[in-house]
Amino acid sequence: MPTGSARPPASAPRPPASGAVRTARVPSPEPEAAPLDPHPTTLIGSVQRAMRLLEAVSARDQGAPAKQLAREAGLALPTAYHLLRTLVHEGYLRRDKGLFFLGDAAERLSSSGAQQKRRSTVSETLARWRDAIGAPVYYAIYREGEIEVMCVADTPANPAVEEWADFRETGHAHAIGQCLLSQLDKKSRRDHLARYPVQSLTPYTVRDEDRLLRRLERTARMEPVIERQEYALGAVCAAIPITVGSTAGSIALSLPSHQADRLLLATRKLQSEIGLVLGSLGISISI
């Protein structure tokens, strides 16, 4: 271990709170918050009317005139004109030859909503696997030359490995990083290691770049990568590749080292779970 390094803690890698990596943490179930007061006196009528107009426009791919939209939204024509002008001004609608269409602002809302739904799908899936396996589960991708852990599902009883050394810079040491690097071509691997050189984190970390590259070359395609205490003392990890298109991805799990005898069985169970939903997970790889 390098001089001045902190002793690596015995729990699972979580990406830093700042920088390029953004991690969605899947918390343990908590009581639901009380619903908002639905009493009609708390609602804003103009917002309701504007939403009805947006819904009417969204149902018309070929656009629609103000009179038709007013009729379908159940609004007086002057009220509809006023709201339509406001929605056009704000970019939620656009007007072309007397017809109204959804604008760029509405399209961005739709896109953001779809992305949020994909993220929710991945988070819920990881939480199911976490509960079924009894271990923290991680989702990571390799994007634009960086290792990004996108989502972590753990519980107080089975916490994720604490990040004690920058997760992006230590891909050579942890199972997720080794799994992602094994999916890259030789040039991309060497480029990554030129930016983030191999360094000893624990007594078990691979010692130099040549040894690491030989290990990565020996890794069978789509086979799990196993790592024992190379990143954090007291933790063992396994990562399963889930390449989708040109994006390298990985689903991983970690266990305390005293449960190392569970690692292979838990990995096989996770592989079987991934196989059942890989198609739906694949469309969410860019969350």
Side-chain angles (χ1 to χ4, degrees):
M1 185 180 304
T3 303
S5 298
R7 177 183 176 80
S11 13
R14 187 176 299 117
S18 62
V21 180
R22 300 181 197 170
T23 304
R25 185 183 179 87
V26 182
S28 303
E30 295 180 357
E32 293 185 3
L36 295 175
D37 180 5
H39 196 279
T41 59
T42 67
L43 304 179
I44 300 175
S46 59
V47 174
Q48 291 177 303
R49 290 189 287 272
M51 295 303 294
R52 288 203 296 271
L53 282 172
L54 284 172
E55 290 171 354
V57 174
S58 68
R60 300 286 176 177
D61 292 340
Q62 305 304 315
K67 288 184 180 180
Q68 181 180 354
L69 294 172
R71 183 171 60 253
E72 292 180 358
L75 301 177
L77 186 57
T79 300
Y81 271 127
H82 176 71
L83 290 172
L84 288 169
R85 283 196 300 271
T86 302
L87 290 169
V88 169
H89 180 268
E90 295 298 325
Y92 291 98
L93 294 180
R94 61 182 176 86
R95 187 176 184 181
D96 183 20
K97 298 178 181 178
L99 302 179
F100 291 90
F101 303 83
L102 290 179
D104 291 341
E107 296 292 349
R108 287 195 297 272
L109 282 178
S110 176
S111 176
S112 297
Q115 183 182 55
Q116 186 174 15
K117 184 176 180 180
R118 291 196 298 271
R119 291 188 180 193
S120 177
T121 297
V122 172
S123 297
E124 291 170 2
T125 301
L126 262 62
R128 281 203 310 274
W129 294 342
R130 172 200 66 198
D131 296 341
I133 297 170
V137 180
Y138 311 77
Y139 172 48
I141 62 175
Y142 193 85
R143 181 163 56 188
E144 297 181 356
E146 299 292 344
I147 294 169
E148 298 187 25
V149 177
M150 308 302 293
C151 189
V152 179
D154 66 349
T155 66
N158 295 296
V161 173
E162 182 181 351
E163 183 191 24
W164 74 279
D166 192 313
F167 202 72
R168 291 165 296 176
E169 298 179 4
T170 55
H172 64 281
H174 47 73
I176 287 175
Q178 294 175 22
C179 182
L180 294 173
L181 291 174
S182 72
Q183 298 176 61
L184 306 180
D185 58 42
K186 292 182 180 180
K187 180 179 179 181
S188 298
R189 287 176 195 165
R190 290 192 178 276
D191 173 74
H192 182 91
L193 295 173
R195 289 180 288 115
Y196 302 120
V198 172
Q199 56 180 308
S200 293
L201 302 182
T202 79
Y204 305 97
T205 308
V206 63
R207 289 290 175 253
D208 56 63
E209 181 175 316
D210 288 340
R211 293 185 189 184
L212 175 65
L213 290 173
R214 286 197 297 270
R215 179 194 294 184
L216 295 176
E217 289 170 3
R218 291 196 303 268
T219 302
R221 178 175 172 78
M222 306 315 289
E223 285 299 310
V225 172
I226 304 296
E227 169 260 304
R228 293 180 172 85
Q229 303 191 83
E230 294 183 46
Y231 175 81
L233 292 176
V236 295
C237 306
I240 299 165
I242 54 165
T243 304
V244 177
S246 60
T247 303
S250 175
I251 301 291
L253 65 93
S254 65
L255 291 169
S257 56
H258 68 269
Q259 296 182 25
D261 58 333
R262 288 185 53 212
L263 186 62
L264 294 181
L265 182 61
T267 302
R268 284 197 292 270
K269 182 172 179 57
L270 182 57
Q271 277 184 296
S272 65
E273 295 283 348
I274 292 172
L276 296 175
V277 299
L278 184 57
S280 59
L281 187 65
I283 64 172
S284 306
I285 196 158
S286 61
I287 63 169

